């Protein structure tokens, strides 16, 4: 499981966009988004780099925590 900090999850639409982007690259990914804390937890067979790249491409840069 990867835990990532995302600075700008402003609304439910942002969370939905993040969820959709991650599901596009790994349909079996388990994703938990804490919008208020700006934390995403992802359980996936993808590498951390692949997950961070997918999020970066949609405008959500991350920091690993």
């Amino acid at each position: 499981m990867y835990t990532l900090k995302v600075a700008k999850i402003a609304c439910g639409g942002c969370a939905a966009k993040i969820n959709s982007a991650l599901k596009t690259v790994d349909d079996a990914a388990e994703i938990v988004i804490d919008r208020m804390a700006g934390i995403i937890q992802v359980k996936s067979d993808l590498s951390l780099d692949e997950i961070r790249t997918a999020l970066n491409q949609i405008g959500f840069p991350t920091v690993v925590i």
Side-chain angles (χ1 to χ4, degrees):
M1 169 134 351
Y2 305 114
T3 302
L4 305 167
K5 176 79 174 169
V6 179
K8 55 181 190 173
I9 305 175
C11 63
C14 294
K17 187 174 181 179
I18 290 168
N19 192 61
S20 177
L22 293 175
K23 287 291 190 175
T24 296
V25 293
D26 181 3
D27 190 42
E30 296 176 27
I31 305 156
V32 176
I33 300 172
D34 181 342
R35 195 168 43 98
M36 299 305 286
I39 303 288
I40 303 170
Q41 293 182 317
V42 183
K43 183 175 180 182
S44 173
D45 289 334
L46 295 175
S47 72
L48 178 58
D49 286 338
E50 290 170 310
I51 290 169
R52 293 185 75 201
T53 297
L55 293 172
N56 215 11
Q57 289 175 341
I58 61 166
F60 291 95
T62 62
V63 175
V64 179
I65 55 173

